[in-house]
Amino acid sequence: MSEDSSLVSITTRDACVDFPIFDAKSRSLKKTVMGLVGGNIASDTKVPIIEALRDITLDLRHGARVGLVGHNGAGKSTLLRLLSGIYEPTRGQAEVRGRVAPVFDLGVGMDPEVTGLENIVVRGLFLGMTRKQMESRIDDIADFTELGDFLRMPLRTYSTGMRVRLALGVVTSIDPEILLLDEGIGAVDAAFLEKSKKRLSELVERSGLLVFASHSDEFLRELCDTAIWMEHGQIRQHGELEDVLRAYKGDRA
Amino acid sequence: MTATAAPGVRSWRRAVDDLVGGWGQRQLWGHLGWQDIRQRYRRSVLGPVWISISMAVTAIALGVLYAGLFGNDLSVQLPYILVGFIVWAFISGCISEGSEVFIANEGLIKHLPAPLSVHIYRLVWRQTLFFGHNLVVYAVMLIVFPQDLTWRSLTAIPAFGLLMLNGAWVALLLGIVTTRFRDLTPITQSLVQLLFFLTPIVWIYEDLVNSPNTAIAERARLVEFNPLLHFLEIIRQPMLGHEQHLRHWIVVLVITVVGWALTLYALRRFRSRVSYWV
C-alpha cells in the first residue's frame, strides 16, 4: 500500500493452482464421515483434482506491461486470479505487493436495481477506491459514458452496450498500482471503442504494472511490450511481445 | 504487506490480516449493507419501514394469541414476545445467512481479491440495521406498555456488542464450513427453526420454571443447556427492566472466547481454500 512505486511487484515461485472437484457425492459431510468410518475405498473417496496452473515462476516489477496469450483453457484467467491474490497457490509461493485492480468481468459488483450513478460509486469501492475519490470522478465518468439522464435510472433499464459503457467508464477512471485486465471488452459500438482505447491506454500508463489477457494482437501491441504464452497451465514462453506472438502464431499455423 | 519474509499461506498473521484488512474496507461493506436493506424493499412505497411494520404485526398477533393461551396479562406477554423476536431476528439472521455467506457471494469472491471478512462485516452490519429498524417498534412499545427501565438497563448496549461479536464468528465459521460441505446449509437453516421453539421467545421461561407442577419446572430447566437462552437473556432482561443474572453473561463470554478461538483456527487453516471451494 506504499506510495513508493518500486514496491509494486508480483513474485511467484513454482506456484501451482490445483482445483479439487467435489462432485455432488463427495461435497457432502455424510460422504466424508462415512468414508472415514468405512476405511479407504481409495479411488472412490479421493477428490479428483484439476491442475489449472503448474510451476509458475514470475518476477514482475513496476513498469511491466505483460500480455497473456494462449488457447482457451490454457490458464490465462486462472493466472490472472493467481496474480491478483484471489487464488493463493496450493503449492509454491506467490507474493503480490501493491493495490490490485482486477478487471475480469465488467459486470461484477453491479446492482441492476440501483441507479447508474450509485453503481459508479460501488464499482469504484470494489476496485479499491474511496467514496470521495469516486465522487470527484463522477462528472468525468458521466461525460465519457455519454449516458446523460440515464445515469439517474436503475441499471436494469440499460441495454448491454450501455452497461459496458458505464463499466468501462468506471474502470478506466481509477488509479491502480497493479492492473489486471481480462478481455471481454466487446459489445460496444466502433466509435465508442476508439474513444475507450484512448482511455484504456491512459489507464495503463497510470498503472504501475499491467497484465493483460487477450486474443487480439492489435490490442496487445498497443498496450504491452512483453508477453507470456500459456499452455496447459504452464508458461510455454516468456519474452518480448513480438517474439512470443510469432512463436504462438507459428505454433498455431 | 511490508513483511520481508512472506508469511505462509496458513499463518496466524494472514488470518488476522484478513480480519483487519476487511475492517479497513468499512466504506465498501457499510455501503453494501445499506444497499441490501434498501434493495429488499425497493419499488415499495414504504421501503424499509416494512421491517418495523412486519415486526410489529408479528409481535402484536402472537402477543395477543399467547397472552390468551397462557392466561397472561397482555402487558407482560407482548413486550416479552416483542423483545424476544427482535433479538431472535438478529441471532437467526446471523446464523442462517452465515450458512451461505460465501456461497451467495461467489461472484465477488472469484472476481475481486477482498478479505473474506468483508462479507462477514457486511452481513453483521445488515443485521444490525434490521435491529435498528426494529428498535423503533420497541420504542413505541415502551410508550404503550412502560417497563421499569433503570440505569442498569444500559447493559443492553454491551450485550448487543457481544451479540455482534458472536454473530461475526458464527457467520465466518459457518460460512467456511458450509462452502466446503454444501449439505450443511439446509441443515443449519432447519436447525435454526427448531431452535426458535427451544428458546423461550413466545413462552415465558420464568413462568415454567416456577410452575407449581414440578415435572414441568424440572423439564424447563433443561433450556439452560441451550446457549441461545443466555444470548437472549443478557439483552432481553435489561431491555424489559427485569432482574439480570450474572450467569448468562458468563456463559456468553465463555462462548465468545471459545468461538473466536475456534474460528481463528479455521480461518488460518482454510481461509485460502474458500475461493477454491465456492
Side-chain angles (χ1 to χ4, degrees):
Chain A
M1 305 289 162
S2 169
E3 290 298 307
D4 186 354
S5 58
S6 65
L7 278 178
V8 176
S9 69
I10 300 177
T11 332
T12 66
R13 199 161 348 115
D14 301 324
C16 300
V17 170
D18 301 327
F19 283 101
I21 302 302
F22 309 111
D23 58 330
K25 281 177 205 152
S26 66
R27 207 169 193 166
S28 84
L29 187 63
K30 184 179 120 206
K31 190 84 179 180
T32 309
V33 172
M34 302 222 295
L36 286 175
V37 174
N40 327 330
I41 314 166
S43 61
D44 198 274
T45 48
K46 233 181 176 171
V47 181
I49 282 175
I50 293 180
E51 295 184 325
L53 292 178
R54 263 181 302 159
D55 305 326
I56 303 293
T57 301
L58 280 175
D59 189 12
L60 305 178
R61 306 257 147 209
H62 181 84
R65 301 276 177 266
V66 189
L68 274 184
V69 296
H71 302 286
N72 294 328
K76 296 190 298 292
S77 300
T78 314
L79 180 61
L80 283 176
R81 284 180 194 173
L82 175 77
L83 299 182
S84 71
I86 292 172
Y87 293 141
E88 292 177 22
T90 20
R91 281 168 288 137
Q93 287 161 4
E95 200 187 357
V96 184
R97 285 163 189 267
R99 193 157 43 84
V100 181
V103 184
F104 303 154
D105 180 337
L106 288 174
V108 74
M110 294 280 201
D111 187 334
E113 290 295 329
V114 304
T115 65
L117 287 174
E118 278 182 86
N119 268 301
I120 289 177
V121 175
V122 176
R123 187 73 170 98
L125 288 173
F126 271 126
L127 290 168
M129 307 292 285
T130 64
R131 176 179 282 277
K132 266 219 186 81
Q133 285 174 317
M134 285 321 288
E135 274 162 4
S136 68
R137 276 156 223 238
I138 275 191
D139 287 338
D140 168 53
I141 297 169
D143 279 352
F144 168 72
T145 58
E146 297 170 344
L147 286 169
D149 287 340
F150 253 99
L151 285 173
R152 283 171 224 292
M153 292 294 199
L155 194 72
R156 70 188 140 82
T157 62
Y158 288 27
S159 70
T160 315
M162 286 160 78
R163 284 178 201 218
V164 175
R165 278 168 177 248
L166 187 78
L168 263 179
V170 181
V171 163
T172 52
S173 74
I174 57 172
D175 297 320
E177 290 178 331
I178 297 173
L179 180 64
L180 304 174
L181 284 175
D182 204 345
E183 63 169 4
I185 305 163
V188 241
D189 51 78
F192 189 75
L193 195 67
E194 240 353 274
K195 201 171 147 191
S196 56
K197 250 186 206 165
K198 191 169 145 271
R199 265 180 84 103
L200 213 54
S201 19
E202 281 166 10
L203 168 72
V204 167
E205 270 161 41
R206 279 202 304 277
S207 62
L209 200 166
L210 167 80
V211 183
F212 176 40
S214 176
H215 287 289
S216 153
D217 295 354
E218 188 200 348
F219 249 141
L220 284 168
R221 287 203 178 93
E222 213 155 305
L223 300 179
C224 308
D225 46 29
T226 57
I228 293 171
W229 173 9
M230 293 296 294
E231 198 173 66
H232 303 305
Q234 285 175 299
I235 296 178
R236 167 97 179 251
Q237 195 183 349
H238 181 185
E240 290 300 312
L241 177 69
E242 292 301 331
D243 296 346
V244 174
L245 278 182
R246 208 175 308 119
Y248 176 55
K249 295 276 139 133
D251 187 68
R252 255 199 317 199
Chain B
M1 292 207 179
T2 49
T4 38
V9 170
R10 285 180 181 170
S11 71
W12 292 108
R13 252 285 296 284
R14 300 287 284 269
V16 174
D17 279 353
D18 187 284
L19 293 172
V20 176
W23 186 253
Q25 298 196 16
R26 283 187 294 282
Q27 279 192 332
L28 177 62
W29 53 257
H31 183 94
L32 291 173
W34 268 115
Q35 192 168 296
D36 289 337
I37 297 247
R38 283 181 297 157
Q39 175 80 334
R40 208 163 296 193
Y41 299 94
R42 200 161 284 272
R43 294 198 235 177
S44 72
V45 180
L46 293 178
V49 177
W50 277 114
I51 302 170
S52 320
I53 294 176
S54 56
M55 177 58 74
V57 170
T58 315
I60 292 170
L62 290 180
V64 171
L65 173 68
Y66 282 94
L69 282 179
F70 293 142
N72 288 336
D73 203 10
L74 190 63
S75 65
V76 174
Q77 186 77 45
L78 195 136
Y80 189 86
I81 285 190
L82 176 68
V83 174
F85 255 100
I86 292 177
V87 178
W88 180 256
F90 182 85
I91 295 176
S92 66
C94 287
I95 300 177
S96 53
E97 288 184 13
S99 71
E100 52 184 10
V101 59
F102 298 133
I103 302 169
N105 285 305
E106 178 184 349
L108 294 181
I109 290 173
K110 280 193 178 161
H111 284 98
L112 298 161
L116 286 180
S117 58
V118 165
H119 308 288
I120 302 298
Y121 295 132
R122 172 187 182 178
L123 190 162
V124 176
W125 172 234
R126 178 173 63 232
Q127 292 300 329
T128 306
L129 289 172
F130 276 124
F131 187 85
H133 280 89
N134 287 330
L135 281 186
V136 177
V137 188
Y138 170 72
V140 174
M141 179 214 85
L142 283 181
I143 298 169
V144 184
F145 300 110
Q147 306 292 313
D148 303 331
L149 296 186
T150 60
W151 57 271
R152 301 192 60 185
S153 300
L154 289 177
T155 52
I157 296 167
F160 187 68
L162 278 174
L163 242 58
M164 289 164 85
L165 212 55
N166 280 279
W169 78 254
V170 167
L172 187 49
L173 186 64
L174 275 176
I176 293 174
V177 177
T178 53
T179 309
R180 172 66 183 80
F181 300 104
R182 299 297 169 103
D183 303 61
L184 287 176
T185 304
I187 291 177
T188 312
Q189 287 170 350
S190 34
L191 207 64
V192 171
Q193 290 206 322
L194 185 65
L195 281 169
F196 172 77
F197 295 101
L198 293 177
T199 312
I201 295 164
V202 292
W203 46 277
I204 300 180
Y205 179 41
E206 283 78 13
D207 287 3
L208 291 186
V209 169
N210 301 325
S211 162
N213 183 334
T214 48
I216 288 182
E218 242 351 68
R219 252 174 270 156
R221 285 225 157 273
L222 289 176
V223 84
E224 292 281 337
F225 289 109
N226 176 357
L228 295 184
L229 166 81
H230 306 282
F231 282 95
L232 193 60
E233 291 293 23
I234 59 166
I235 186 161
R236 183 170 55 193
Q237 285 171 346
M239 279 176 83
L240 293 176
H242 290 177
E243 192 193 341
Q244 301 181 34
H245 299 290
L246 189 63
R247 72 168 191 285
H248 299 308
W249 284 86
I250 293 172
V251 173
V252 168
L253 282 170
V254 169
I255 291 178
T256 311
V257 172
V258 173
W260 265 110
L262 198 66
T263 304
L264 277 173
Y265 175 76
L267 188 64
R268 181 185 84 117
R269 184 85 174 65
F270 300 113
R271 179 191 51 81
S272 62
R273 302 301 297 157
V274 170
S275 58
Y276 284 82
W277 290 341
V278 288

